Amino acid sequence: MIMAPLPVLTYPDPRLSRKSSPVEAFNEALRAFVVELDETRRAAPGCVAIAAPQVGHFERIAIVDVSGRKRVASHGRLVLINPEITAWEGFAVGREGCLSVPDYTGNVIRAERIRLQARDERGEVLDLELEGFEARAVQHEIDHLDGLLFLDRLVSRRNDLFRRKVYTQKQ
Ligand SMILES: [Zn+2]
């Protein structure tokens, strides 16, 4: 069955500032939503991650998959339910984009390595150590669950915010 992608909320929609609630039931409805959320992520070219509140669903659910990026450590596709970061190490600045902020990218400081605990959509416990771009993507998605965008993390909008290039079609 092919499903249409869900509509994505974009900045400055105030719902993006809402904090999401923990998932309590690991049931078929959750798994069906995860399929739709992943469909929505995959419909956006180059999109490595998505969080439920970006489609107006305010539960602590995110999907991260950086396996398509070259030279990046990856655990494959991670479905993260009620994710918690339990340890942080190091700091790095990196460029981030977001489906909900389509016209800009920004430089954001994140921990370089994290320890992550979560459950998957079947309720199985995940306990992972992540680094680099994958760790960054998870931190970005957990921010969405707390009602934060990368825009809220910029040290300076003047220096750290970049308008995306507009690609015009060749005649
Ligand atoms: Zn985002």
Side-chain angles (χ1 to χ4, degrees), residues 64-66 72-78 80 83-90 111-118 126-142:
V64 172
D65 184 354
V66 300
V72 159
S74 167
H75 289 81
R77 193 185 73 135
L78 296 172
L80 303 174
E84 302 278 355
I85 297 172
T86 57
W88 293 258
E89 199 181 84
E112 274 184 302
R113 282 174 295 281
I114 57 170
R115 180 155 181 195
L116 173 70
Q117 295 186 328
L126 303 173
D127 188 346
L128 302 169
E129 287 180 9
L130 308 181
E131 61 175 37
F133 186 63
E134 188 177 43
R136 171 172 297 276
V138 166
Q139 291 170 81
H140 177 116
E141 297 314 313
I142 292 178

Side-chain angles (χ1 to χ4, degrees), residues 45-74:
C47 180
V48 296
I50 193 168
Q54 291 182 274
V55 297
H57 183 110
F58 299 97
E59 285 191 295
R60 303 184 76 82
I61 302 165
I63 302 171
V64 172
D65 184 354
V66 300
S67 62
R69 294 286 176 100
K70 290 195 175 79
R71 294 181 296 278
V72 159
S74 167

